[in-house]
Amino acid sequence: MAEAYQKASVMRTGEYLTTINEMTDQIPALRPQLLWHAAHELIKVGEWSGNKILTEEDKGVALSTAVSLIRGLPLAIARWYPYHLPTEVNVPIACEYYKGNLYVNGIEPGDRVIIVDDTISTGGTLLSLINAVRQRGAEIAEILVLVEKAENQGVEFIKRKTGVDVKTVLKIKVEESGVTVLGN
């Protein structure tokens, strides 16, 4: 998995540097072996005391789907567009590359939700997902993220804003010259 990030291209998205890689952007196309390995590595860091997984539909959905299948847990997906259902939660989002709203369905009062995502950078996406879970009267069981862009301090931001720890598998540093894997 570290190799996929070491080979990643780097580009600027607004004020942040981001990676273009196999795992999150399917450039090159995502190999099933890499997805399988990433899902199992993420599963290792979790306690799995929740009853449902929540992710966002952009980049986290491939990983979260694999984790859902392996763990046998229902999967709720935050969308970038509304269905206008009575139980839908609309939360603002401001992340590394997008400002707008997320729309969450499938979370019920009393659920113990495991948020799964591919990357934490600034923490904006996770903050929106946490807020949606809490608005529905559910609780955060844990947050599991495959890759942390350490220089953007999203893990610290989430802890400070919400009191919730984020567990990650791989820490990276993204610079104009490329990606450095910092470790686990």
Side-chain angles (χ1 to χ4, degrees), residues 86-163:
T87 59
E88 185 169 79
V89 176
N90 173 357
V91 290
I93 179 174
C95 66
E96 178 179 324
Y97 53 88
Y98 175 78
K99 287 182 181 163
N101 291 295
L102 278 179
Y103 304 90
V104 178
N105 289 291
I107 302 299
E108 303 299 329
D111 279 344
R112 289 189 37 80
V113 178
I114 301 165
I115 297 176
V116 173
D117 208 358
D118 62 293
T119 306
I120 181 169
S121 179
T122 63
T125 301
L126 291 179
L127 181 61
S128 296
L129 294 174
I130 292 165
N131 288 338
V133 167
R134 289 177 172 170
Q135 283 182 36
R136 283 295 293 148
E139 72 176 272
I140 304 298
E142 63 185 336
I143 300 175
L144 307 173
V145 179
L146 188 63
V147 174
E148 174 188 350
K149 291 182 181 176
E151 70 274 9
N152 295 339
Q153 300 179 348
V155 169
E156 295 83 1
F157 171 78
I158 292 298
K159 180 68 173 180
R160 188 173 63 253
K161 288 293 232 181
T162 69

